[in-house]
Amino acid sequence: MESQDCTDLAVVVAKPRTESVIDALDTEGVYDADRSVQPWDAESVAVPVTAPPETVEVREVVRQVGERRLRNLADHLRQRGWSEAEIDAAPSSWAAIGSVVLVELGETPRPAAVGEALLALHGEADTVLARNGIDGVHREPDVTVIAGEGDTETVHTEHGTEYALDLAEVMFSPGNKAERARMGERVQAGERVLDMFAGIGYFTLPMARAGAEVTAVEHNPTAFRYLVENTMRNGVDGLVHPYRADCRDVVEAGIDGGPVDRVVMGHYEASEPDGDGGYAYLDHALDALAPGGVVHVHETTPEALVFERPVERLTAAAVAAGRSVEVLDTRRVKSHSEGVAHVVVDARIE
Protein backbone atom coordinates (compact mmCIF):
# COMPACT_ATOMS: atom_id res chain seq x y z
CA MET A 1 0.00 0.00 0.00
CA GLU A 2 1.41 3.39 -0.98
CA SER A 3 2.01 5.81 1.87
CA GLN A 4 0.35 9.22 1.83
CA ASP A 5 2.38 12.38 2.47
CA CYS A 6 1.04 14.83 5.01
CA THR A 7 2.04 18.03 6.75
CA ASP A 8 1.62 18.11 10.53
CA LEU A 9 2.28 20.75 13.17
CA ALA A 10 4.40 20.15 16.25
CA VAL A 11 5.93 22.26 19.01
CA VAL A 12 9.54 21.86 20.03
CA VAL A 13 10.22 21.77 23.78
CA ALA A 14 13.01 20.61 26.08
CA LYS A 15 12.71 16.91 26.99
CA PRO A 16 12.19 17.48 30.75
CA ARG A 17 9.12 19.64 29.98
CA THR A 18 7.40 17.01 27.80
CA GLU A 19 4.78 15.83 30.31
CA SER A 20 3.88 19.27 31.61
CA VAL A 21 3.61 20.66 28.07
CA ILE A 22 1.36 17.78 26.97
CA ASP A 23 -0.91 18.45 29.97
CA ALA A 24 -1.06 22.16 29.12
CA LEU A 25 -1.66 21.55 25.40
CA ASP A 26 -4.41 19.07 26.24
CA THR A 27 -6.06 21.64 28.52
CA GLU A 28 -5.92 24.22 25.72
CA GLY A 29 -7.40 21.65 23.32
CA VAL A 30 -4.58 21.59 20.75
CA TYR A 31 -2.68 18.41 21.68
CA ASP A 32 -2.84 15.85 18.85
CA ALA A 33 -3.22 12.51 20.65
CA ASP A 34 -3.36 10.64 17.34
CA ARG A 35 0.35 11.19 16.78
CA SER A 36 3.31 10.33 18.95
CA VAL A 37 5.97 12.58 20.42
CA GLN A 38 9.14 12.39 18.34
CA PRO A 39 12.80 13.17 19.07
CA TRP A 40 13.87 16.55 17.64
CA ASP A 41 17.49 16.88 18.71
CA ALA A 42 19.63 15.64 21.59
CA GLU A 43 17.92 17.93 24.12
CA SER A 44 14.38 18.36 22.81
CA VAL A 45 11.31 16.66 21.37
CA ALA A 46 8.54 17.57 18.94
CA VAL A 47 5.07 17.33 20.50
CA PRO A 48 2.24 17.03 17.93
CA VAL A 49 -0.45 19.72 17.91
CA THR A 50 -3.53 20.48 15.84
CA ALA A 51 -2.89 24.26 15.92
CA PRO A 52 -0.25 26.63 17.30
CA PRO A 53 -0.79 27.00 21.07
CA GLU A 54 -1.80 30.37 22.49
CA THR A 55 -1.17 29.80 26.21
CA VAL A 56 1.77 27.37 26.30
CA GLU A 57 5.36 28.54 26.07
CA VAL A 58 7.31 26.55 23.45
CA ARG A 59 10.64 26.92 21.71
CA GLU A 60 9.14 26.95 18.21
CA VAL A 61 6.27 25.64 16.10
CA VAL A 62 7.42 23.42 13.22
CA ARG A 63 5.95 21.58 10.29
CA GLN A 64 6.89 17.94 9.90
CA VAL A 65 6.51 16.58 6.39
CA GLY A 66 6.58 12.90 5.58
CA GLU A 67 4.73 9.67 6.22
CA ARG A 68 2.07 9.85 8.90
CA ARG A 69 3.44 8.36 12.09
CA LEU A 70 2.46 4.99 13.38
CA ARG A 71 -0.32 5.78 15.85
CA ASN A 72 -0.20 2.99 18.41
CA LEU A 73 1.75 0.00 19.68
CA ALA A 74 -0.05 -2.39 17.34
CA ASP A 75 1.06 -0.32 14.31
CA HIS A 76 4.67 -0.42 15.50
CA LEU A 77 4.54 -4.16 16.09
CA ARG A 78 3.00 -4.81 12.66
CA GLN A 79 5.85 -2.84 11.12
CA ARG A 80 8.20 -5.23 12.93
CA GLY A 81 6.47 -8.24 11.37
CA TRP A 82 4.28 -9.35 14.28
CA SER A 83 1.24 -11.47 13.47
CA GLU A 84 -2.22 -10.40 14.64
CA ALA A 85 -2.20 -13.27 17.15
CA GLU A 86 1.07 -11.99 18.62
CA ILE A 87 -0.28 -8.44 18.71
CA ASP A 88 -3.34 -9.68 20.62
CA ALA A 89 -0.95 -10.97 23.31
CA ALA A 90 0.93 -7.66 23.52
CA PRO A 91 0.36 -5.25 26.43
CA SER A 92 -2.83 -3.22 26.18
CA SER A 93 -1.74 -0.53 28.64
CA TRP A 94 1.44 1.09 29.92
CA ALA A 95 2.48 4.41 31.38
CA ALA A 96 5.08 6.99 30.42
CA ILE A 97 6.53 8.29 33.69
CA GLY A 98 9.00 11.02 32.90
CA SER A 99 11.62 9.48 30.62
CA VAL A 100 10.65 5.90 31.54
CA VAL A 101 7.89 3.71 30.11
CA LEU A 102 6.50 1.26 32.68
CA VAL A 103 4.69 -1.79 31.32
CA GLU A 104 3.33 -5.12 32.56
CA LEU A 105 4.22 -7.76 29.99
CA GLY A 106 2.15 -10.73 31.11
CA GLU A 107 2.49 -13.46 28.46
CA THR A 108 3.80 -11.08 25.81
CA PRO A 109 6.12 -12.70 23.26
CA ARG A 110 9.47 -11.03 22.47
CA PRO A 111 9.64 -8.51 25.32
CA ALA A 112 12.67 -6.72 23.86
CA ALA A 113 10.77 -6.01 20.63
CA VAL A 114 7.86 -4.61 22.65
CA GLY A 115 10.30 -2.37 24.49
CA GLU A 116 11.81 -1.02 21.26
CA ALA A 117 8.31 -0.40 19.86
CA LEU A 118 7.33 1.53 23.00
CA LEU A 119 10.46 3.68 22.68
CA ALA A 120 9.49 4.45 19.09
CA LEU A 121 5.96 5.32 20.23
CA HIS A 122 7.17 7.58 23.08
CA GLY A 123 9.87 9.81 21.66
CA GLU A 124 10.48 11.48 25.03
CA ALA A 125 11.39 8.18 26.73
CA ASP A 126 14.81 6.55 26.89
CA THR A 127 14.11 3.44 29.01
CA VAL A 128 11.40 0.78 29.13
CA LEU A 129 10.84 -1.17 32.35
CA ALA A 130 8.80 -4.33 32.77
CA ARG A 131 6.94 -4.23 36.08
CA ASN A 132 6.95 -7.64 37.79
CA GLY A 133 5.35 -6.82 41.13
CA ILE A 134 5.85 -5.16 44.51
CA ASP A 135 7.82 -6.86 47.29
CA GLY A 136 8.68 -6.39 50.96
CA VAL A 137 7.53 -4.30 53.87
CA HIS A 138 8.70 -1.15 52.07
CA ARG A 139 6.73 -2.10 48.92
CA GLU A 140 9.78 -2.04 46.69
CA PRO A 141 9.19 -2.62 42.97
CA ASP A 142 10.57 -5.59 41.06
CA VAL A 143 11.38 -4.32 37.56
CA THR A 144 13.45 -5.41 34.55
CA VAL A 145 14.97 -3.17 31.88
CA ILE A 146 13.79 -4.47 28.49
CA ALA A 147 14.88 -1.62 26.20
CA GLY A 148 16.75 1.66 26.09
CA GLU A 149 19.48 3.18 28.20
CA GLY A 150 18.43 1.56 31.47
CA ASP A 151 18.31 4.80 33.47
CA THR A 152 15.49 4.24 35.97
CA GLU A 153 15.74 7.63 37.71
CA THR A 154 13.46 10.31 36.28
CA VAL A 155 11.26 13.32 37.00
CA HIS A 156 7.55 12.87 36.38
CA THR A 157 5.24 15.91 36.06
CA GLU A 158 1.55 15.59 36.87
CA HIS A 159 -0.94 18.48 37.12
CA GLY A 160 2.00 20.82 37.72
CA THR A 161 3.53 18.70 40.50
CA GLU A 162 7.03 17.34 39.92
CA TYR A 163 7.96 13.91 41.30
CA ALA A 164 11.61 12.87 41.21
CA LEU A 165 11.97 9.13 41.75
CA ASP A 166 13.83 5.97 40.83
CA LEU A 167 11.35 3.45 39.44
CA ALA A 168 13.67 0.58 40.32
CA GLU A 169 13.68 1.64 43.98
CA VAL A 170 10.25 3.09 44.82
CA MET A 171 6.73 2.36 43.62
CA PHE A 172 4.64 4.72 41.53
CA SER A 173 1.06 3.92 40.53
CA PRO A 174 -0.07 5.66 37.32
CA GLY A 175 -3.65 4.63 38.09
CA ASN A 176 -3.71 6.92 41.14
CA LYS A 177 -3.28 10.10 39.07
CA ALA A 178 -6.83 11.38 39.54
CA GLU A 179 -6.70 10.68 43.28
CA ARG A 180 -3.45 12.61 43.66
CA ALA A 181 -5.04 15.59 41.91
CA ARG A 182 -8.22 15.26 43.99
CA MET A 183 -6.32 15.55 47.26
CA GLY A 184 -4.86 18.84 46.10
CA GLU A 185 -8.41 20.06 45.47
CA ARG A 186 -9.85 18.82 48.78
CA VAL A 187 -7.60 20.72 51.17
CA GLN A 188 -7.83 24.37 52.14
CA ALA A 189 -4.87 26.69 52.61
CA GLY A 190 -3.78 26.60 56.24
CA GLU A 191 -5.17 23.12 56.98
CA ARG A 192 -2.99 20.85 59.09
CA VAL A 193 -2.64 17.38 57.56
CA LEU A 194 -1.00 14.10 58.57
CA ASP A 195 0.08 11.91 55.64
CA MET A 196 0.78 8.59 57.36
CA PHE A 197 2.38 6.85 54.35
CA ALA A 198 3.87 9.72 52.36
CA GLY A 199 6.16 7.80 50.00
CA ILE A 200 7.88 10.24 47.63
CA GLY A 201 5.10 12.76 48.26
CA TYR A 202 2.25 11.28 46.19
CA PHE A 203 -0.48 13.11 48.13
CA THR A 204 1.71 15.36 50.28
CA LEU A 205 2.93 17.46 47.37
CA PRO A 206 -0.46 18.35 45.81
CA MET A 207 -1.84 19.20 49.26
CA ALA A 208 1.15 21.34 50.19
CA ARG A 209 1.02 23.10 46.82
CA ALA A 210 -2.59 23.97 47.71
CA GLY A 211 -1.37 25.62 50.93
CA ALA A 212 -1.84 22.86 53.51
CA GLU A 213 0.74 22.25 56.23
CA VAL A 214 1.62 18.55 56.02
CA THR A 215 3.33 16.25 58.50
CA ALA A 216 4.63 13.63 56.05
CA VAL A 217 5.83 10.30 57.44
CA GLU A 218 7.70 7.68 55.42
CA HIS A 219 9.66 4.66 56.65
CA ASN A 220 11.43 3.61 53.41
CA PRO A 221 14.80 5.47 53.39
CA THR A 222 14.93 5.75 49.57
CA ALA A 223 11.38 7.05 49.28
CA PHE A 224 12.08 9.45 52.15
CA ARG A 225 15.11 10.87 50.34
CA TYR A 226 12.94 11.61 47.30
CA LEU A 227 10.20 13.02 49.53
CA VAL A 228 12.62 15.61 50.90
CA GLU A 229 14.00 16.36 47.42
CA ASN A 230 10.50 16.74 45.99
CA THR A 231 9.39 19.20 48.66
CA MET A 232 12.27 21.45 47.62
CA ARG A 233 11.72 20.83 43.91
CA ASN A 234 8.10 21.99 44.26
CA GLY A 235 8.90 24.91 46.56
CA VAL A 236 6.87 23.57 49.51
CA ASP A 237 9.65 22.63 51.93
CA GLY A 238 8.38 25.31 54.30
CA LEU A 239 4.96 23.63 54.47
CA VAL A 240 6.03 19.97 54.69
CA HIS A 241 7.47 18.48 57.89
CA PRO A 242 9.04 15.14 56.86
CA TYR A 243 9.73 12.29 59.28
CA ARG A 244 11.52 9.05 58.44
CA ALA A 245 9.77 6.85 60.97
CA ASP A 246 6.86 4.54 61.66
CA CYS A 247 3.81 6.80 61.52
CA ARG A 248 2.45 5.23 64.72
CA ASP A 249 5.55 6.37 66.60
CA VAL A 250 5.09 9.93 65.31
CA VAL A 251 1.46 9.99 66.48
CA GLU A 252 2.37 8.55 69.88
CA ALA A 253 5.12 11.13 70.34
CA GLY A 254 2.65 13.90 69.54
CA ILE A 255 2.39 16.00 66.39
CA ASP A 256 3.60 19.57 66.75
CA GLY A 257 0.58 21.82 67.09
CA GLY A 258 -1.68 19.05 68.37
CA PRO A 259 -4.43 17.12 66.53
CA VAL A 260 -4.69 17.70 62.77
CA ASP A 261 -7.60 18.63 60.50
CA ARG A 262 -7.08 15.79 58.04
CA VAL A 263 -5.39 12.37 57.93
CA VAL A 264 -4.45 10.57 54.71
CA MET A 265 -4.03 6.78 54.94
CA GLY A 266 -2.72 5.89 51.48
CA HIS A 267 -1.48 2.37 52.34
CA TYR A 268 -3.67 -0.49 51.11
CA GLU A 269 -3.42 -2.34 54.42
CA ALA A 270 -3.89 0.66 56.70
CA SER A 271 -7.36 -0.48 57.80
CA GLU A 272 -6.37 -4.07 58.68
CA PRO A 273 -7.22 -5.34 62.22
CA ASP A 274 -4.21 -5.73 64.49
CA GLY A 275 -5.25 -9.13 65.86
CA ASP A 276 -5.86 -7.78 69.37
CA GLY A 277 -9.30 -6.34 68.81
CA GLY A 278 -8.09 -3.03 67.42
CA TYR A 279 -6.65 -1.63 64.22
CA ALA A 280 -2.93 -1.17 63.70
CA TYR A 281 -3.17 2.18 61.92
CA LEU A 282 -6.80 3.32 62.10
CA ASP A 283 -6.57 3.73 65.88
CA HIS A 284 -3.54 6.00 65.52
CA ALA A 285 -5.17 7.97 62.70
CA LEU A 286 -8.14 8.74 64.93
CA ASP A 287 -5.83 9.65 67.81
CA ALA A 288 -4.19 12.24 65.56
CA LEU A 289 -7.44 13.69 64.21
CA ALA A 290 -9.17 16.70 65.77
CA PRO A 291 -12.95 16.54 66.36
CA GLY A 292 -14.71 17.24 63.08
CA GLY A 293 -11.58 16.32 61.10
CA VAL A 294 -11.57 14.24 57.92
CA VAL A 295 -9.84 10.92 57.29
CA HIS A 296 -9.17 9.35 53.87
CA VAL A 297 -8.90 5.55 54.16
CA HIS A 298 -7.48 3.59 51.21
CA GLU A 299 -8.06 -0.15 50.98
CA THR A 300 -7.87 -3.03 48.52
CA THR A 301 -11.28 -4.65 48.91
CA PRO A 302 -12.88 -7.76 47.37
CA GLU A 303 -15.63 -6.70 44.97
CA ALA A 304 -18.33 -8.30 47.13
CA LEU A 305 -17.26 -6.06 50.06
CA VAL A 306 -16.48 -2.80 48.23
CA PHE A 307 -17.15 0.18 50.52
CA GLU A 308 -18.96 -2.01 53.07
CA ARG A 309 -15.77 -3.42 54.62
CA PRO A 310 -13.72 -0.20 54.90
CA VAL A 311 -16.73 1.69 56.27
CA GLU A 312 -17.38 -1.08 58.84
CA ARG A 313 -13.75 -1.07 59.95
CA LEU A 314 -13.64 2.71 60.24
CA THR A 315 -16.91 2.77 62.18
CA ALA A 316 -15.74 0.05 64.58
CA ALA A 317 -12.50 1.92 65.27
CA ALA A 318 -14.38 5.17 65.84
CA VAL A 319 -16.93 3.59 68.19
CA ALA A 320 -14.11 2.04 70.22
CA ALA A 321 -12.62 5.53 70.55
CA GLY A 322 -15.97 7.01 71.58
CA ARG A 323 -16.39 8.90 68.31
CA SER A 324 -18.89 8.93 65.42
CA VAL A 325 -18.44 8.66 61.64
CA GLU A 326 -20.07 10.63 58.85
CA VAL A 327 -19.18 9.16 55.45
CA LEU A 328 -18.60 12.03 53.03
CA ASP A 329 -17.61 10.17 49.87
CA THR A 330 -16.64 6.76 48.55
CA ARG A 331 -14.57 6.27 45.42
CA ARG A 332 -13.14 3.50 43.28
CA VAL A 333 -9.60 4.48 42.44
CA LYS A 334 -8.80 1.59 40.11
CA SER A 335 -8.87 -2.18 39.73
CA HIS A 336 -6.13 -3.69 41.89
CA SER A 337 -6.32 -7.31 40.70
CA GLU A 338 -8.96 -9.72 39.50
CA GLY A 339 -11.97 -9.39 41.82
CA VAL A 340 -10.26 -6.76 44.01
CA ALA A 341 -10.71 -2.98 43.84
CA HIS A 342 -8.64 -0.13 45.22
CA VAL A 343 -11.15 2.14 46.99
CA VAL A 344 -11.04 5.17 49.25
CA VAL A 345 -13.51 6.32 51.89
CA ASP A 346 -13.64 9.97 52.99
CA ALA A 347 -15.23 10.43 56.43
CA ARG A 348 -15.68 13.13 59.02
CA ILE A 349 -14.94 12.00 62.57
CA GLU A 350 -16.78 13.82 65.38
Side-chain angles (χ1 to χ4, degrees):
M1 184 171 107
E2 191 172 330
S3 63
Q4 183 177 359
D5 282 350
C6 62
T7 301
D8 295 309
L9 291 177
V11 294
V12 177
V13 299
K15 279 185 179 181
R17 293 187 62 218
T18 304
E19 288 181 294
S20 59
V21 167
I22 289 175
D23 276 349
L25 293 171
D26 195 33
T27 299
E28 187 176 322
V30 297
Y31 174 57
D32 187 352
D34 286 339
R35 293 184 287 138
S36 58
V37 175
Q38 295 292 309
W40 185 254
D41 56 33
E43 306 296 331
S44 56
V45 295
V47 180
V49 294
T50 57
E54 297 180 358
T55 63
V56 184
E57 182 181 349
V58 300
R59 184 181 302 170
E60 60 180 318
V61 179
V62 298
R63 290 190 179 275
Q64 297 178 312
V65 181
E67 294 183 358
R68 178 164 288 276
R69 292 175 183 79
L70 303 175
R71 292 176 56 176
N72 52 41
L73 180 60
D75 287 346
H76 282 273
L77 293 176
R78 286 190 190 96
Q79 186 188 54
R80 287 165 167 75
W82 282 46
S83 68
E84 292 304 313
E86 288 176 315
I87 290 171
D88 287 343
S92 58
S93 65
W94 54 89
I97 301 173
S99 58
V100 178
V101 177
L102 195 60
V103 61
E104 292 187 12
L105 292 173
E107 300 301 318
T108 302
R110 289 182 272 170
V114 171
E116 293 299 331
L118 286 170
L119 285 178
L121 186 61
H122 294 277
E124 74 278 20
D126 55 31
T127 297
V128 180
L129 291 181
R131 181 165 54 183
N132 306 316
I134 303 292
D135 297 319
V137 66
H138 287 153
R139 298 185 59 76
E140 296 164 340
D142 177 13
V143 297
T144 305
V145 176
I146 61 170
E149 298 177 4
D151 186 359
T152 58
E153 191 169 30
T154 189
V155 177
H156 173 63
T157 304
E158 194 175 273
H159 300 294
T161 301
E162 292 186 359
Y163 297 92
L165 73 161
D166 187 334
L167 287 160
E169 298 288 340
V170 297
M171 63 173 289
F172 191 90
S173 177
N176 292 358
K177 180 178 181 178
E179 188 65 19
R180 288 188 285 271
R182 186 178 81 99
M183 292 310 301
E185 297 165 356
R186 284 290 178 268
V187 298
Q188 301 293 322
E191 269 194 32
R192 298 180 60 253
V193 181
L194 169 63
D195 187 350
M196 296 179 74
F197 309 95
I200 64 169
Y202 311 109
F203 301 125
T204 287
L205 296 173
M207 291 188 295
R209 290 184 67 230
E213 183 178 353
V214 186
T215 297
V217 188
E218 175 54 41
H219 198 264
N220 182 328
T222 304
F224 180 79
R225 175 169 59 84
Y226 283 110
L227 169 65
V228 174
E229 176 184 339
N230 287 331
T231 63
M232 294 184 287
R233 178 180 289 275
N234 287 275
V236 294
D237 44 308
L239 287 171
V240 177
H241 310 291
Y243 290 82
R244 191 174 86 78
D246 186 311
C247 56
R248 294 168 293 191
D249 294 338
V250 173
V251 172
E252 289 175 5
I255 297 171
D256 288 346
V260 298
D261 305 306
R262 190 180 301 267
V263 175
V264 181
M265 307 180 70
H267 194 292
Y268 291 152
E269 299 174 0
S271 62
E272 290 289 326
D274 63 8
D276 293 320
Y279 295 86
Y281 295 101
L282 267 176
D283 294 343
H284 287 78
L286 298 183
D287 286 344
L289 193 64
V294 174
V295 63
H296 304 270
V297 182
H298 289 246
E299 185 182 285
T300 48
T301 313
E303 286 290 348
L305 299 174
V306 161
F307 303 132
E308 177 185 347
R309 188 175 77 178
V311 170
E312 284 184 350
R313 288 176 169 178
L314 178 55
T315 301
V319 168
R323 305 178 72 172
S324 62
V325 174
E326 176 192 357
V327 175
L328 302 176
D329 195 11
T330 56
R331 290 170 55 85
R332 287 176 179 265
V333 178
K334 63 180 184 297
S335 173
H336 178 261
S337 57
E338 186 175 355
V340 178
H342 172 188
V343 303
V344 59
V345 174
D346 302 346
R348 188 179 308 282
I349 309 297
E350 299 295 349

